[in-house]
């Protein structure tokens, strides 16, 4: 044990601070605590002293004293997220969940990437029986940590947090299973479990309860894989007899497209939602010529939202699309558009989100040296002739000509899904979207 510290003659705040910091650095916590305590007599709002002392008090289980000091530190530095985090942790230990929630939420508003604070907020919600909020807090914490390379394994998790992180992961897994099961259950009750066996398998794969066991290595869905349907890059035309109406009206559709392209005040937007330069930098687009790569779109629907002005501008095209059996999922589908690929643009290989729906192109303007490749199979568009493919197979497209290429794009259900399976997938995707919307995006804040 260290002998009691005698106040040096003429002790000053600066000398006490230096002594405390030096003691803390060499691991002499007792001396550091005494020096910081004396420092507060000179400077009651010294945050370094307040935080160090609060940490020591929490180690001894003196939560009330720690909270008092942390509140003083917060008054001195009200925008310090770390202080709010520590205050929230102390309030959890003191049995004050309401105060802990307030402190942790305020800290996360200042620094959303504090994944340990978000983990503690999940604990608070769980203790209060707020299951959905606990799930989203825990998952937000895990996502934020893993985005920074943490909590991927025991080796990347601080020893003192390992059990809490494992508990959070198990809590999220059980909660999501319960949540999404409840979405499908009414259809099970109505149509029988046998009708939804493949949907149950699809959900188990999404929840990582079982492997996807994809039959074709070229197929890599980014979101939702539906098992038990044929894996094929292109689908035969006879599976989609309704497309004959589109092909018969191709001249009218092309006429409306040309009016859009001729209008200086057009509503074309970058398909990828970013300026072309950003898409090139992200290796989504490349240029095969002297011009800058550009992939633009004129949307009729995007993520299930109707673009009323665009539909009114192209009434014949809009009416034809409205009569098609498109995928309809709240906040997600359909997605229908004129896809405008500028000269010299290459859409680089990528994979789509789910094999529950397929993509159809109606080619409208196709110069030479334009093609689509899906799963290693190259298809040359023919104006007025639809082509349907599964975009979960790696695919790419290019326009190596000096002219603009345009196709009408729409999404349709995979014809190998039953009507009941389509209903279940639509409900499930909407529920997954709702849940994911409630989970904070991982940010790289400290």
């Amino acid at each position: 044990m260290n002998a009691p510290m005698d106040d040096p003659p003429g002790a000053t705040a600066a000398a006490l601070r230096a002594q405390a910091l030096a003691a803390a650095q060499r691991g002499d916590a007792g001396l550091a605590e005494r020096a910081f305590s004396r420092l507060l007599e000179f400077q009651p709002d010294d945050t370094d002293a307040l935080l160090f002392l609060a940490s020591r008090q929490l180690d001894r289980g003196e939560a009330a004293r720690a909270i008092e000091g942390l509140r003083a530190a917060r008054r001195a530095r009200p925008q310090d997220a770390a202080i709010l985090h520590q205050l929230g942790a102390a309030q959890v230990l003191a049995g004050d969940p309401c105060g802990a929630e307030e402190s942790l939420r305020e800290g996360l508003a200042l620094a959303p990437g504090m994944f340990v604070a978000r983990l503690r907020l999940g604990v608070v919600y769980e203790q209060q029986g707020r299951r959905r909020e606990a799930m989203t807090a825990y998952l937000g914490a895990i996502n934020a940590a893993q985005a920074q390379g943490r909590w991927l394994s025991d080796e990347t998790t601080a020893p003192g947090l390992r059990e809490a992180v494992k508990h959070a992961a198990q809590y999220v897994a059980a909660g999501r299973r319960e949540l999404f099961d409840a979405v499908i259950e009414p259809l099970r009750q109505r149509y029988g479990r046998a009708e939804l066996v493949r949907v149950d398998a699809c959900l188990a794969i999404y929840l990582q309860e079982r492997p996807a066991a994809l039959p074709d290595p070229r197929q890599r869905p980014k979101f939702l894989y539906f098992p038990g349907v044929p894996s094929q890059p292109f689908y035969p035309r006879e599976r989609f007899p309704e497309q004959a109406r589109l092909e018969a009206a191709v001249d009218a559709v092309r006429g409306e497209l040309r009016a859009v392209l001729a209008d200086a005040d057009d509503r074309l937007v970058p398909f990828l939602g970013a300026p072309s330069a950003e898409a090139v930098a992200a290796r989504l687009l490349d240029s095969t010529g002297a011009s800058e790569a550009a992939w633009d779109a004129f949307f009729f629907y995007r993520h299930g939202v109707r673009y009323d002005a665009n539909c009114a501008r192209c009434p014949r095209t809009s009416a034809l699309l409205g009569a098609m059996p498109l995928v309809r999922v709240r906040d997600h589908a359909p997605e229908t558009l004129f896809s405008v690929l500028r000269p010299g643009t290459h859409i680089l290989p990528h994979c789509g989100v789910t094999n529950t729906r397929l993509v159809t192109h109606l080619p409208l303007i196709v110069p030479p040296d334009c093609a689509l490749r899906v799963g290693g199979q190259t298809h040359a568009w023919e104006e007025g002739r639809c082509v349907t493919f599964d975009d979960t197979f790696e695919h790419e497209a290019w326009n190596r000509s000096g002219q603009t290429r345009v196709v009408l794009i729409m999404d349709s259900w995979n014809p190998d899904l039953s009507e009941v399976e389509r209903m279940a997938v639509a409900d499930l995707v909407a529920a997954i979207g709702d849940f994911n919307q409630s989970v904070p995006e991982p940010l790289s804040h400290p």
Side-chain angles (χ1 to χ4, degrees), residues 384-405:
R385 186 175 175 84
C386 288
V387 58
T388 299
F389 61 98
D390 181 346
D391 74 341
T392 63
F393 282 80
E394 183 176 80
H395 60 287
E396 59 185 309
W398 58 83
N399 176 6
R400 295 172 181 154
S401 77
Q403 306 167 58
T404 294
R405 182 239 65 180

Side-chain angles (χ1 to χ4, degrees), residues 143-319:
N143 289 347
Q146 293 183 345
Q148 298 180 39
R150 311 286 290 279
W151 297 3
L152 299 169
S153 63
D154 278 354
E155 291 69 29
T156 57
T157 307
L161 288 174
R162 285 174 188 166
E163 291 307 312
V165 171
K166 288 176 183 177
H167 170 78
Q170 293 165 358
Y171 190 94
V172 169
R176 291 203 303 172
R177 160 56 72 180
E178 179 182 323
L179 175 66
F180 300 142
D181 254 342
V183 171
I184 302 171
E185 186 58 27
L187 292 173
R188 294 191 189 109
Q189 295 293 329
R190 183 175 178 183
Y191 297 101
R193 289 186 172 273
E195 293 294 319
L196 291 148
V197 168
R198 295 194 301 183
V199 175
D200 288 333
C202 174
L203 177 57
I205 291 168
Y206 171 73
L207 294 173
Q208 299 183 335
E209 297 170 353
R210 57 176 279 185
L214 289 157
D216 192 319
R218 298 171 298 170
Q219 187 178 23
R220 297 189 298 277
K222 293 166 62 178
F223 165 54
L224 192 71
Y225 173 66
F226 195 94
V229 299
S231 288
Q232 51 190 349
F234 291 97
Y235 273 67
R237 290 168 53 81
E238 56 266 24
R239 301 297 303 273
F240 310 96
E242 63 279 354
Q243 292 177 2
R245 294 196 300 272
L246 278 176
E247 294 178 340
V250 66
D251 289 337
V253 174
R254 187 186 292 113
E256 292 184 336
L257 163 67
R258 291 194 184 280
V260 168
L261 296 177
D263 192 338
D265 186 30
D266 64 45
R267 293 181 176 84
L268 296 180
V269 297
F271 178 85
L272 296 169
S276 297
E278 290 184 30
V280 170
R283 300 301 296 157
L284 299 171
L285 295 180
D286 197 6
S287 176
T288 61
S291 302
E292 180 182 337
W295 179 16
D296 294 323
F298 180 88
F299 286 102
F300 297 96
Y301 277 85
R302 186 168 211 191
H303 306 316
V305 177
R306 188 175 192 268
Y307 283 47
D308 292 337
N310 288 2
C311 290
R313 193 168 175 185
C314 301
R316 185 71 190 279
T317 304
S318 178

Side-chain angles (χ1 to χ4, degrees), residues 2-65:
N2 293 304
M5 182 191 69
D6 295 326
D7 293 342
T12 65
L16 287 165
R17 166 183 281 280
Q19 186 176 29
L21 292 174
Q25 187 173 12
R26 65 175 181 267
D28 190 343
L31 179 59
E33 182 174 2
R34 291 192 297 276
F36 273 134
S37 295
R38 286 285 291 123
L39 174 58
L40 289 181
E41 295 177 15
F42 291 89
Q43 294 181 343
D45 60 351
D46 187 287
T47 53
D48 288 336
L50 291 165
L51 293 173
F52 184 89
L53 294 173
S55 177
R56 293 281 289 168
Q57 289 155 356
L58 288 173
D59 288 343
R60 294 192 292 266
E62 300 169 2
R65 289 186 64 197

Side-chain angles (χ1 to χ4, degrees), residues 88-111:
Q91 289 165 319
V92 169
L93 291 175
D96 178 13
C98 293
E101 178 186 353
E102 181 180 356
S103 298
L104 292 169
R105 286 173 62 92
E106 288 184 24
L108 287 165
L110 293 168

